[in-house]
Amino acid sequence: SYELTQPSSVSVSPGQTARITCSGDVLAKKYARWFQQKPGQAPVLVIYKDSERPSGIPERFSGSSSGTTVTLTISGAQVEDEADYYCYSAADNNLVFGGGTKLTVL
Amino acid sequence: QVQLVQSGSELKKPGASVKVSCKASGYTFTSYAMNWVRQAPGQGLEWMGWINTNTGNPTYAQGFTGRFVFSLDTSVSTAYLQISSLKAEDTAVYYCAAVAVAGPFDYWGQGTLVTVSS
């Protein structure tokens, strides 16, 4: 089975750049997606196809890929970006999730 | 706008059954598969499987066969997750998610907390 590995936490000050990585063999052949989850709210997609941004998502959110690692970058992180972020991918008709990263902005 | 609205929290005793609903609006229900995802307390996300909203054919992930059943009522754009013979370890938040893995269509319900306790 496939696995995706994320750091458990990342912390930045407001206005700084936050980078969250996600690693796994499956990412060498399948696209990654990222979603943001705030307490008590439904998850919201922020990046798909490694680096595409859905409409309505602020430009400060970007994604990149290199080999078996994808990175979510939040340039000029805002206090409202504080949330859990999960990467995931679709492989062999399964969805595979990373363990999630808690982003603290303060 | 697209919305997936799930039924409310449930408190059940071990051995009972529960049925969670997920009502979709704002898009053609049969255009996208519906996934189910579990998040146990303090744990990560586990993909439970998906149901083809055109055919009603379900696919269950490893570890989610036997007691778990996905179903649909396309007349009301609603997907269901039924869990039977509940155990304490089924305590979790259950999410439905309509996802097109090739594109930006990716919408989740707000989650339903199922608590199994005697």
Side-chain angles (χ1 to χ4, degrees):
Chain A
S1 63
Y2 297 107
E3 289 187 1
L4 295 175
T5 302
Q6 298 180 234
S8 58
S9 64
V10 169
S11 184
V12 297
S13 299
Q16 288 189 325
T17 295
R19 293 182 179 86
I20 301 172
T21 58
C22 174
S23 300
D25 290 343
V26 66
L27 299 179
K29 51 186 177 180
K30 297 292 183 181
Y31 288 120
R33 304 165 79 86
W34 291 91
F35 67 76
Q36 175 194 71
Q37 186 179 30
K38 295 182 179 179
Q41 297 184 21
V44 174
L45 183 73
V46 295
I47 293 289
Y48 68 101
K49 258 185 168 180
D50 292 347
S51 60
E52 300 291 322
R53 194 174 51 247
S55 61
I57 299 302
E59 290 184 7
R60 63 180 180 273
F61 288 87
S62 64
S64 60
S65 174
S66 179
T68 59
T69 298
V70 294
T71 302
L72 172 68
T73 300
I74 308 172
S75 304
Q78 309 286 309
V79 172
E80 60 262 32
D81 298 331
E82 186 164 291
D84 293 330
Y85 291 85
Y86 290 85
C87 64
Y88 77 105
S89 187
D92 298 339
N93 289 322
N94 294 348
L95 296 184
V96 182
F97 294 95
T101 299
K102 181 173 182 57
L103 175 65
T104 302
V105 183
L106 65 90
Chain B
Q1 76 280 24
V2 174
Q3 277 193 304
L4 298 181
V5 179
Q6 297 185 225
S7 48
S9 298
E10 301 268 10
L11 174 59
K12 296 289 184 181
K13 294 191 183 305
S17 295
V18 69
K19 194 169 187 177
V20 175
S21 66
C22 169
K23 183 170 176 59
S25 61
Y27 72 100
T28 301
F29 182 68
T30 52
S31 292
Y32 301 96
M34 190 66 75
N35 295 267
W36 289 94
V37 177
R38 181 171 79 177
Q39 187 169 35
Q43 302 296 310
L45 298 164
E46 267 188 291
W47 180 69
M48 301 173 65
W50 65 286
I51 185 165
N52 185 317
T53 51
N54 273 302
T55 65
N57 185 47
T59 298
Y60 300 98
Q62 271 191 325
F64 294 98
T65 56
R67 297 188 300 115
F68 301 84
V69 176
F70 307 148
S71 61
L72 304 170
D73 184 343
T74 55
S75 69
V76 290
S77 300
T78 300
Y80 301 94
L81 163 66
Q82 184 161 359
I83 311 171
S84 58
S85 303
L86 283 163
K87 308 174 184 180
E89 51 263 42
D90 294 323
T91 295
V93 176
Y94 292 85
Y95 293 96
C96 58
V99 175
V101 294
F105 193 90
D106 190 303
Y107 293 92
W108 293 61
Q110 82 278 18
T112 296
L113 173 62
V114 174
T115 303
V116 183
S117 174
S118 54

